[in-house]
């Protein structure tokens, strides 16, 4: 047995594991956006002491001179040969911005969850019927629920009790009158972030909200890397499942403490998430989602005892998982459709959730069709040379004029660019024609000849046959490389071609689109100018864009507050058709056309 020494602690490991694997198995926190394939360069770690493999060519692609001098390596490509001492080198999640707000439509409130207090009749010598029968005579039918049956003796020690109903069915009985305390939680589990809203069912409103980074990010940034982690690691699925359950429980504790609420008074959890997150939440192998023919194990809505999932709310509380459509159109998107009433509209509306996966839905006179495109992590700042999450030190806005103006999260020295910063930069570069329509950065000599651009010629650097555009000549590490532009180009090509393919399949001309709705964490941070500038959204639609924020969470709240909405969601999920882009005629050509700036 060998030991890893890190953070002043030691951890056992067996030889044959990569340093990344050892760190992740010990839950020490390290991102692996590419799932440990050695292609993202984000698992950098300093090897302080110990014998490891020699540097590989793959690693050299991601490490600069300074890092090589300091013995920085890629954790996923380093296999310790014995005891090893290592040091983490950066954390990007500080002050990570999480979108918790969203547009909330008007709707009729009629929660499924309710409570009623009873004065208990007691047995007498003359009428010593069973306690269960007494309850039945008071119209409290426990429907042979074993857990409720076991609670009856303690309930009858008091004079009053409170019955908790879900859709008019008894789910539990509590001693005394507890009708004042009736809470639920709406949960949005995104691949990157988790948001939990505390709902007061009596007052029929949201009273607080907490959020966190999805801790599964350490095992891969996108759903495919997580599926791969579950598949290729012993206990991989259990590790992913435990990390999300722990995160949910800690958000619940925070909400309870802040609002002085007992977790026993939370009786339901409504979960909106993509299909992979739902599988992992239920500890169901998501492998089939990741390979053709991409059939998920389940997509229908589910009501499951929260305790069976390890979620700490009332001992008889339920977790309701909203329904999804397919492996890549999940309950989070169904939620968004319902929030925007796309299933009822008479207009032509395009709904898009931009992230690692771009999910697109078109409603034509309330007929719904959807597609999903693999945009990859570039738009979230990953697989980008200076990319980082939207945390402290990330450049989030860029304007190129006489000078290059940047806005940095936390107002600190810039450490890199987050997704919106990268899109801003490339959009500005395209606007100024610093890049051509194919995405190539123009030569320094060409820029020098242009009177409007020559002041930027110093920002173009050619080194080792590679060209990059630096944002600050005093700090030349922060730059947009040719390969970064290629990554963004692929992402934009995937989304825009999905967009057009779906409109074609619905016979809608772009000029007939009434509205483009942008949902989700990432889209919210992209300005109309950047979206149009980089070409993710065609410029004809510039005036028709509306942002609705976190519609996944809003939909989950609505299912808790309205039984009609819950039924509507089930219908919406069944009514959406799904368009598989790879089988669409002419899609390849469309994709190539959409790569152009
Ligand atoms: Fe190591 Fe991506 S390069 S996790």
């Amino acid at each position: 047995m060998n030991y890893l020494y890190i953070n002043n602690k030691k951890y056992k490991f067996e030889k044959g594991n990569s340093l990344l694997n050892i760190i992740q198995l010990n839950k020490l926190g390290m991102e692996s956006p590419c799932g440990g394939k050695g292609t993202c360069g984000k698992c950098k770690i300093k090897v302080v002491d110990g014998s490891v493999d020699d540097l590989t060519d793959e690693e050299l692609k991601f490490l600069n001179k300074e890092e090589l001098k300091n013995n920085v390596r890629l954790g996923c490509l380093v296999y310790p040969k014995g005891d090893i001492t290592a040091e983490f080198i950066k954390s990007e999640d500080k002050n990570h911005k999480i979108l918790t707000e969203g547009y909330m439509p008007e709707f009729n409130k009629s929660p499924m969850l309710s409570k009623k207090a009873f004065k208990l009749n007691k047995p007498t010598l003359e009428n010593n019927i069973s306690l269960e029968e007494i309850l039945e005579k008071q119209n409290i039918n426990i429907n042979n629920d074993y857990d409720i049956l076991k609670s009856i003796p303690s309930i009858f020690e008091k004079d009053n009790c409170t019955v908790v109903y879900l859709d008019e069915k008894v789910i539990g009985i509590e001693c005394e009158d507890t009708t004042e305390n009736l809470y639920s939680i709406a949960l949005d589990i995104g691949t990157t972030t988790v948001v939990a809203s505390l709902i007061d069912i009596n007052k029929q409103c949201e009273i607080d909200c907490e959020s966190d980074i999805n801790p599964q990010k350490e095992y891969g940034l996108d759903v495919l890397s997580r599926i791969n982690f579950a598949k290729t690691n012993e206990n991989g699925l259990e590790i992913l499942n435990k990390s999300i359950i722990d995160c949910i429980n800690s958000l619940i504790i925070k909400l309870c403490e802040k609002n002085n609420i007992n977790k026993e008074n939370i009786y339901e959890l409504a979960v909106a998430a993509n299909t992979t997150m739902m599988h992992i939440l239920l500890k169901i192998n998501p492998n089939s989602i990741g390979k053709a023919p991409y059939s998920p194990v389940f997509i229908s809505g589910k009501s499951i005892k929260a305790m069976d999932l390890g979620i700490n709310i009332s001992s008889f509380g339920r977790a309701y998982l909203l329904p999804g459509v397919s492996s890549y159109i999940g309950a989070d998107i169904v939620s968004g459709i319902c929030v925007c009433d796309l299933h009822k509209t008479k207009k032509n509306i395009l709904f898009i959730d931009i992230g690692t996966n771009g999910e697109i839905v078109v409603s034509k006179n309330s007929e719904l069709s959807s597609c999903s495109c693999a945009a990859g992590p570039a738009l979230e700042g990953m697989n980008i040379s200076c990319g980082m999450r939207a945390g402290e030190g990330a450049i989030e806005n860029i304007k190129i004029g006489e000078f290059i103006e940047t806005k940095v999260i936390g107002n600190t020295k810039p450490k890199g660019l987050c997704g919106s910063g990268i899109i801003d930069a490339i959009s500005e570069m395209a606007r100024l024609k610093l890049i051509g329509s194919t995405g190539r950065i123009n030569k320094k000599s060409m820029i020098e000849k242009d009177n409007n651009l020559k002041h930027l010629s110093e920002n173009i650097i050619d080194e080792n046959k590679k060209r990059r555009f630096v944002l600050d000549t005093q700090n030349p590490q922060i730059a947009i490389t040719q390969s970064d532009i290629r990554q963004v180009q692929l992402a934009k090509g995937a989304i825009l071609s999905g967009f057009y393919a779906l409109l074609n399949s619905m016979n809608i001309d772009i000029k007939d689109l009434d509205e483009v709705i942008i949902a989700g964490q990432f889209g919210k941070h992209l300005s109309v100018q950047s979206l149009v500038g980089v070409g993710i959204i065609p410029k004809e639609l510039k005036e028709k864009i509306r942002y609705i924020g976190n519609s996944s969470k809003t939909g989950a709240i609505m299912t808790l507050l309205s039984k009609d909405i819950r039924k509507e969601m089930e219908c919406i999920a069944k009514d959406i058709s799904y368009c598989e882009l790879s089988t669409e005629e002419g899609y390849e050509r469309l994709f190539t056309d959409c790569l152009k700036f």
Side-chain angles (χ1 to χ4, degrees):
M1 190 60 73
N2 294 104
Y3 289 95
L4 161 69
Y5 296 84
I6 197 164
N7 285 353
N8 296 324
K9 286 199 181 131
K10 66 175 186 177
Y11 301 88
K12 270 189 204 161
F13 70 89
E14 280 179 31
K15 264 192 217 161
N17 278 301
S18 70
L19 192 47
L20 172 73
N21 242 338
I22 300 165
I23 286 169
Q24 290 186 332
L25 291 171
N26 284 293
K27 301 187 185 62
L28 296 175
M30 177 176 259
E31 282 193 20
S32 54
C34 69
K37 293 198 200 103
T39 55
C40 69
K42 298 293 171 192
C43 58
K44 290 180 185 172
I45 185 159
K46 183 173 174 179
V47 175
V48 179
D49 194 20
S51 167
V52 293
D53 305 311
D54 291 339
L55 262 173
T56 56
D57 287 347
E58 279 88 357
E59 284 178 275
L60 285 171
K61 284 186 210 156
F62 296 102
L63 301 171
N64 61 31
K65 278 189 205 140
E66 191 64 20
E67 287 168 333
L68 290 171
K69 204 171 92 196
N70 287 318
N71 217 12
V72 173
R73 304 286 303 267
L74 294 190
C76 66
L77 298 178
V78 166
Y79 288 77
K81 294 180 180 162
D83 290 357
I84 181 167
T85 307
E87 238 175 55
F88 290 118
I89 54 171
K90 67 174 176 179
S91 159
E92 291 172 349
D93 284 339
K94 223 172 135 195
N95 295 339
H96 184 105
K97 285 184 174 178
I98 297 178
L99 177 64
T100 57
E101 300 306 318
Y103 154 77
M104 172 72 79
E106 292 287 322
F107 63 101
N108 286 332
K109 293 176 181 154
S110 55
M112 264 198 183
L113 190 68
S114 61
K115 268 184 172 182
K116 190 172 172 193
F118 287 84
K119 179 156 178 49
L120 281 168
N121 295 333
K122 299 281 169 107
T124 58
L125 273 179
E126 295 74 36
N127 187 18
N128 58 355
I129 58 171
S130 73
L131 303 185
E132 185 187 15
E133 280 173 288
I134 292 178
L135 288 175
E136 271 165 23
K137 282 184 189 297
Q138 290 193 260
N139 266 333
I140 305 170
N141 194 334
I142 69 163
N143 293 313
N144 291 326
D145 185 309
Y146 177 47
D147 289 326
I148 303 180
L149 195 64
K150 282 192 290 180
S151 69
I152 289 179
S154 61
I155 288 161
F156 271 84
E157 281 170 18
K158 307 281 178 190
D159 293 331
N160 300 301
C161 75
T162 299
V163 180
V164 185
Y165 302 90
L166 189 65
D167 204 14
E168 278 142 43
K169 239 183 92 190
V170 179
I171 57 165
I173 307 177
E174 296 174 334
C175 296
E176 308 286 17
D177 182 347
T178 64
T179 48
E180 265 188 18
N181 302 312
L182 184 60
Y183 301 97
S184 293
I185 283 188
L187 201 60
D188 160 41
I189 307 179
T191 315
T192 311
T193 54
V194 183
V195 179
S197 276
L198 182 62
I199 311 298
D200 186 329
I201 297 290
N202 285 329
K203 293 186 182 143
Q204 302 191 342
C205 65
E206 178 183 15
I207 50 173
D208 201 2
C209 185
E210 276 290 335
S211 60
D212 207 344
I213 299 287
N214 186 334
Q216 294 172 355
K217 74 177 192 333
E218 285 163 26
Y219 312 105
L221 277 192
D222 53 26
V223 292
L224 286 179
S225 316
R226 307 250 173 105
I227 292 170
N228 191 44
F229 181 83
K231 188 175 149 196
T232 53
N233 288 276
E234 201 190 347
N235 302 327
L237 179 57
E238 284 72 17
I239 291 170
L240 291 173
N241 169 267
K242 186 171 181 319
S243 70
I244 191 63
I245 297 291
D246 287 350
C247 173
I248 294 169
N249 283 334
S250 88
L251 290 174
I252 292 172
I253 290 171
K254 274 191 208 163
L255 285 169
C256 287
E257 285 176 357
K258 266 170 76 190
N259 295 281
N260 211 8
I261 281 168
N262 188 336
K263 68 178 173 53
E264 289 300 320
N265 292 130
I266 299 172
Y267 303 93
E268 201 183 20
L269 205 73
V271 187
N274 65 48
T275 309
T276 305
M277 293 301 109
M278 290 293 199
H279 279 56
I280 295 173
L281 181 69
L282 297 197
K283 219 195 282 182
I284 289 174
N285 189 337
N287 202 16
S288 60
I289 295 175
K291 56 175 198 212
Y294 312 106
S295 287
V297 176
F298 70 96
I299 45 162
S300 60
K302 304 250 171 289
S303 184
I304 293 170
K305 278 199 170 177
M307 203 167 64
D308 292 346
L309 300 178
I311 297 175
N312 296 326
I313 54 172
S314 159
S315 56
F316 51 83
R318 300 290 201 273
Y320 171 66
L321 277 61
L322 275 66
V325 179
S326 65
S327 277
Y328 293 101
I329 297 288
D332 48 348
I333 303 302
V334 173
S335 206
I337 291 168
C338 191
V339 169
C340 301
D341 268 347
L342 291 189
H343 56 305
K344 292 180 185 161
T345 183
K346 294 276 169 255
K347 298 178 178 172
N348 295 325
I349 298 181
L350 188 137
F351 171 101
I352 179 162
D353 190 332
I354 305 171
T356 329
N357 239 16
E359 289 108 342
I360 308 175
V361 180
V362 169
S363 175
K364 181 186 181 184
N365 203 8
S366 74
E367 184 193 337
L368 297 165
S369 183
S370 62
C371 74
S372 154
C373 38
L379 297 182
E380 293 191 344
M382 298 295 131
N383 275 6
I384 295 287
S385 58
C386 294
M388 63 180 284
R389 286 179 183 285
E392 194 173 283
I395 298 176
E396 59 172 347
N397 289 122
I398 293 169
K399 181 111 194 67
I400 308 180
E402 199 178 332
F403 304 102
I404 299 179
E405 291 166 43
T406 55
K407 187 169 161 226
V408 182
I409 299 175
N411 279 328
T412 60
K413 195 169 172 255
K415 289 193 230 158
L417 290 113
C418 65
S420 62
I422 288 150
I423 299 206
D424 257 13
I426 296 179
S427 158
E428 285 289 85
M429 289 169 81
R431 178 179 69 83
L432 294 166
K433 306 237 175 327
L434 286 163
I435 53 178
S437 66
T438 58
R440 265 190 82 74
I441 304 175
N442 287 326
K443 284 184 190 156
K444 196 183 188 96
S445 55
M446 205 173 141
I447 305 290
E448 276 166 347
K449 282 184 205 143
D450 186 325
N451 276 343
N452 295 322
L453 298 179
K454 63 181 177 199
H455 64 287
L456 295 169
S457 62
E458 290 304 306
N459 296 64
I460 308 255
I461 293 183
D462 283 298
E463 213 171 55
N464 300 332
K465 295 194 184 142
K466 286 183 183 157
R467 190 168 296 158
R468 64 187 204 272
F469 180 79
V470 302
L471 297 176
D472 178 358
T473 45
Q474 305 302 314
N475 186 8
Q477 293 94 312
I478 299 187
I480 304 287
T481 66
Q482 192 61 67
S483 139
D484 296 340
I485 295 175
R486 183 71 186 153
Q487 294 298 325
V488 170
Q489 218 171 350
L490 290 171
K492 137 196 152 71
I495 294 173
L496 190 60
S497 56
F499 188 116
Y500 280 125
L502 203 53
L503 288 184
N504 289 345
S505 75
M506 298 281 279
N507 261 329
I508 302 176
D509 194 282
I510 197 155
K511 69 173 175 5
D512 297 326
L513 259 188
D514 296 298
E515 191 174 31
V516 176
I517 296 176
I518 307 225
Q521 168 80 26
F522 182 63
K524 176 81 171 100
H525 294 115
L526 300 178
S527 66
V528 170
Q529 213 158 350
S530 300
L531 281 168
V532 172
V534 98
I536 292 174
I537 307 278
K539 61 177 180 304
E540 303 91 301
L541 299 171
K542 196 173 171 185
E543 306 299 328
K544 297 180 179 174
I545 296 174
R546 173 163 71 107
Y547 294 86
I548 54 154
N550 188 340
S551 56
S552 176
K553 180 196 90 167
T554 308
I557 294 177
M558 288 164 73
T559 61
L560 291 170
L561 292 177
S562 162
K563 54 177 105 168
D564 296 338
I565 295 277
R566 201 174 294 203
K567 282 181 199 140
E568 259 177 53
M569 293 250 191
E570 303 278 351
C571 296
I572 292 170
K574 288 194 182 105
D575 284 349
I576 309 177
S577 58
Y578 182 72
C579 166
E580 179 54 57
L581 293 176
S582 57
T583 59
E584 282 290 295
E585 208 189 314
Y587 176 70
E588 291 292 321
R589 205 182 54 243
L590 180 62
F591 174 72
T592 313
D593 287 347
C594 289
L595 290 174
K596 292 194 190 115
F597 285 108

